Amino acid sequence: MKKETFIKSTIILMIGGFLTKILGILIKVIMTRNSSLEVISLYMLVMPTFSLMMAISQLGFATGISKVVSENKHSSKKILFSILPISIFINIILTIILIFTSHFIAFNLLKNEQAYLPILAISLVLPFDSLSSILRGFFFGKEKMIPHVVSNISEQIVRLLFMFLILPKLITKGIVFTTTSLILINVLSELVASLVLIFFLPKKFKIEKQDLKPNFNSMGSVLEVALPTTLTRIIGTISFFFEPIILTYVLSLNNYSISYITTEYGVINGFVMPILLLPGFFTGAISSALLPVISREYQTLIQMLDVMGFVHEMIKQAIFSSLLIGIPATLIIAMYPDFFLNMLYKTSHGASYIKKIAFIFILFYIEAPLATFLQATNKAKEVMYDNFIGIILKTVFLFLLSFIKGIGLYSLLIASGINILITTTRHIKHIKILFKTFT
């Protein structure tokens, strides 16, 4: 029954992830074809800041709530209403910070005055993104995947309609206005996603006065998982945030023009990475289904040591399934990069990048299930440390490699490969140690 639940959840998330990915591809296609390269490049230049703010705003609540709800130690309503006040407070602080720092980030760090308004617009998106994240964590913990799937599809449909109906009219308004609008559409899409999730709440889910009082035990249980998870994301997004800054600074010293650096960075993050991450919906589905199942079973480990056999089977199945999709997908993408780039974006720009970096994504596809397993078995801190080490090394190598003349943006791809290799191998090491403990 446990295995059937896991398989059922995975299949639902796979189907939903596939549909969401198809819609996401259509959105990317329409966005790139209806926008200029300048708009795409500016949008990608702002994305590291957007990702960093989202990581802080969400604070890892989705993962923490999912794990704690699945363990059935606390009232689900208490968990939600204990976390909401923290989320509101964090988003107010982040909004104030962005209002006062947007100008500095754009003019002094990114050295692009056009980035000012898009960065400022991020502050409006964060509260809606946080709410939908908290609600998704609740449903994951309950192992109810259909609300998540429907909300994701609804969110993507809103974005698709925007790209198809409104974006072409915005292009005439200029690069800054168009890019800012691409950021702000997330307000509407996340609001729709949240409303869909609220619709799926159980009918007996009635809010009473005592539910509004935060429960510090529930809060502590969620934060115990959420904080290391958040630090992991923040470490990654800080590195992502500094990527364009390091590249702009170092490569400009090697006589690369700012326009070349911005354009190539936009190509890597706008064209190359989305293609390499195409199979990512599959490993994402496995990871999301894995967390509540292993979290629940791991809690009985002290009384039933044979539960570890089930847990061991689940992680092996997750890795095998991820590689079953990841290896063929990587080989096909690496062999025919021009086909995918022309099919999706009507360009072959970035094909050489794909050929040289695709193979490392075989490891990337198993990284997410491995990290989820460690989080579910109370090893969130180990995941954080592994990511911290990997990202520190990535940043160091990015800085050093960028000084090599003629290497250009390949420094980013090599550094990213080093990060994936280090992080994945360290995850595997921790899992081996965990299994040895119970054998």
Side-chain angles (χ1 to χ4, degrees):
M1 188 67 183
K2 302 166 188 172
K3 188 174 180 179
E4 289 176 1
T5 302
F6 169 70
I7 294 173
K8 181 181 177 182
S9 297
T10 303
I11 291 173
I12 291 173
L13 288 172
M14 278 175 53
I15 294 171
F18 178 74
L19 294 174
T20 303
K21 181 64 72 173
I22 293 297
L23 289 172
I25 290 172
L26 287 174
I27 290 168
K28 286 275 186 183
V29 169
I30 296 172
M31 177 179 166
T32 52
R33 293 186 180 184
N34 288 342
S35 303
S36 63
L37 186 57
E38 290 79 11
V39 169
I40 300 298
S41 297
L42 180 59
Y43 182 76
M44 291 304 161
L45 192 67
V46 172
M47 281 309 295
T49 306
F50 196 2
S51 298
L52 175 60
M53 291 298 108
M54 281 200 299
I56 299 172
S57 172
Q58 292 177 3
L59 205 66
F61 287 144
T63 302
I65 291 172
S66 175
K67 185 177 187 299
V68 176
V69 168
S70 69
E71 293 170 353
N72 291 317
K73 291 181 178 179
H74 306 273
S75 162
S76 298
K77 286 193 289 184
K78 281 291 183 185
I79 293 170
L80 283 180
F81 289 105
S82 296
I83 294 304
L84 278 172
I86 303 176
S87 179
I88 292 169
F89 175 75
I90 290 171
N91 280 282
I92 290 172
I93 297 298
L94 288 178
T95 299
I96 295 171
I97 290 173
L98 277 173
I99 289 172
F100 287 101
T101 61
S102 295
H103 186 277
F104 176 80
I105 294 170
F107 283 76
N108 297 85
L109 297 181
L110 299 179
K111 299 186 183 301
N112 191 325
E113 62 185 38
Q114 292 179 319
Y116 170 62
L117 283 179
I119 291 174
L120 191 61
I122 293 171
S123 62
L124 298 175
V125 180
L126 298 180
F128 298 94
D129 181 71
S130 298
L131 177 61
S132 65
S133 175
I134 288 171
L135 291 171
R136 283 190 177 99
F138 171 82
F139 283 108
F140 276 138
K142 293 290 187 181
E143 295 184 61
K144 294 181 179 179
M145 305 305 175
I146 291 178
H148 168 74
V149 169
V150 175
S151 69
N152 267 359
I153 292 174
S154 302
E155 183 180 343
Q156 293 292 65
I157 288 174
V158 171
R159 289 183 178 138
L160 182 63
L161 291 173
F162 171 83
M163 299 297 174
F164 187 73
L165 299 175
I166 301 175
L167 182 60
K169 299 176 182 177
L170 295 176
I171 298 301
T172 57
K173 305 290 185 180
I175 296 172
V176 174
F177 187 86
T178 304
T179 307
T180 304
S181 300
L182 288 172
I183 297 290
L184 289 176
I185 187 55
N186 289 283
V187 172
L188 182 58
S189 63
E190 293 291 350
L191 177 60
V192 169
S194 297
L195 291 175
V196 170
L197 290 167
I198 291 171
F199 174 79
F200 275 100
L201 286 172
K203 292 181 180 179
K204 60 180 181 179
F205 193 93
K206 295 181 180 178
I207 301 173
E208 299 175 358
K209 188 175 180 180
Q210 62 265 28
D211 294 326
L212 299 175
K213 184 179 179 181
N215 183 289
F216 291 102
N217 288 330
S218 300
M219 194 182 296
S221 298
V222 173
L223 290 176
E224 187 178 351
V225 179
L227 288 179
T229 304
T230 302
L231 287 173
T232 299
R233 283 195 64 192
I234 289 175
I235 291 165
T237 49
I238 286 175
S239 172
F240 190 33
F241 173 76
F242 279 109
E243 274 180 13
I245 297 170
I246 292 172
L247 288 168
T248 301
Y249 173 73
V250 179
L251 293 181
S252 61
L253 294 178
N254 281 339
N255 298 319
Y256 287 94
S257 68
I258 297 297
S259 61
Y260 173 82
I261 298 167
T262 302
T263 300
E264 290 300 301
Y265 186 75
V267 166
I268 289 175
N269 285 288
F271 300 159
V272 174
M273 297 307 290
I275 288 177
L276 291 173
L277 292 172
L278 275 175
F281 75 90
F282 186 80
T283 55
I286 292 173
S287 300
S288 298
L290 200 64
L291 180 61
V293 174
I294 292 183
S295 294
R296 185 181 60 250
E297 298 306 320
Y298 190 73
Q299 295 307 307
T300 64
L301 188 57
I302 297 176
Q303 291 80 22
M304 297 173 55
L305 292 178
D306 62 325
V307 169
M308 206 59 186
F310 169 76
V311 173
H312 192 203
E313 182 185 351
M314 288 295 95
I315 189 62
K316 285 198 300 183
Q317 183 178 331
I319 293 172
F320 175 77
S321 301
S322 298
L323 292 177
L324 190 65
I325 296 294
I327 292 175
T330 300
L331 291 175
I332 293 170
I333 289 170
M335 290 170 64
Y336 306 104
D338 295 275
F339 168 76
F340 288 100
L341 285 166
N342 278 293
M343 180 182 69
L344 297 178
Y345 308 118
K346 282 190 175 180
T347 182
S348 59
H349 204 152
S352 60
Y353 292 137
I354 292 176
K355 289 178 182 178
K356 290 179 174 62
I357 195 64
F359 72 94
I360 198 66
F361 275 77
I362 293 173
L363 281 178
F364 177 80
Y365 298 135
I366 67 170
E367 184 183 332
L370 293 174
T372 298
F373 176 85
L374 289 170
Q375 289 167 340
T377 53
N378 301 325
K379 301 291 181 183
K381 289 182 180 179
E382 280 75 1
V383 175
M384 180 187 69
Y385 295 141
D386 292 349
N387 279 275
F388 180 72
I389 292 170
I391 287 165
I392 288 295
L393 289 174
K394 173 190 172 182
T395 305
V396 170
F397 274 99
L398 176 63
F399 183 77
L400 295 176
L401 290 170
S402 297
F403 277 104
I404 301 175
K405 289 188 176 181
I407 197 170
L409 272 293
Y410 280 101
S411 59
L412 174 59
L413 298 177
I414 296 170
S416 298
I418 291 170
N419 178 27
I420 293 170
L421 179 64
I422 296 291
T423 305
T424 306
T425 52
R426 285 187 61 84
H427 285 353
I428 293 172
K429 178 183 176 182
H430 288 307
I431 289 173
K432 285 183 177 179
I433 292 172
L434 180 65
F435 281 122
K436 282 182 181 178
T437 304
F438 292 99
T439 55

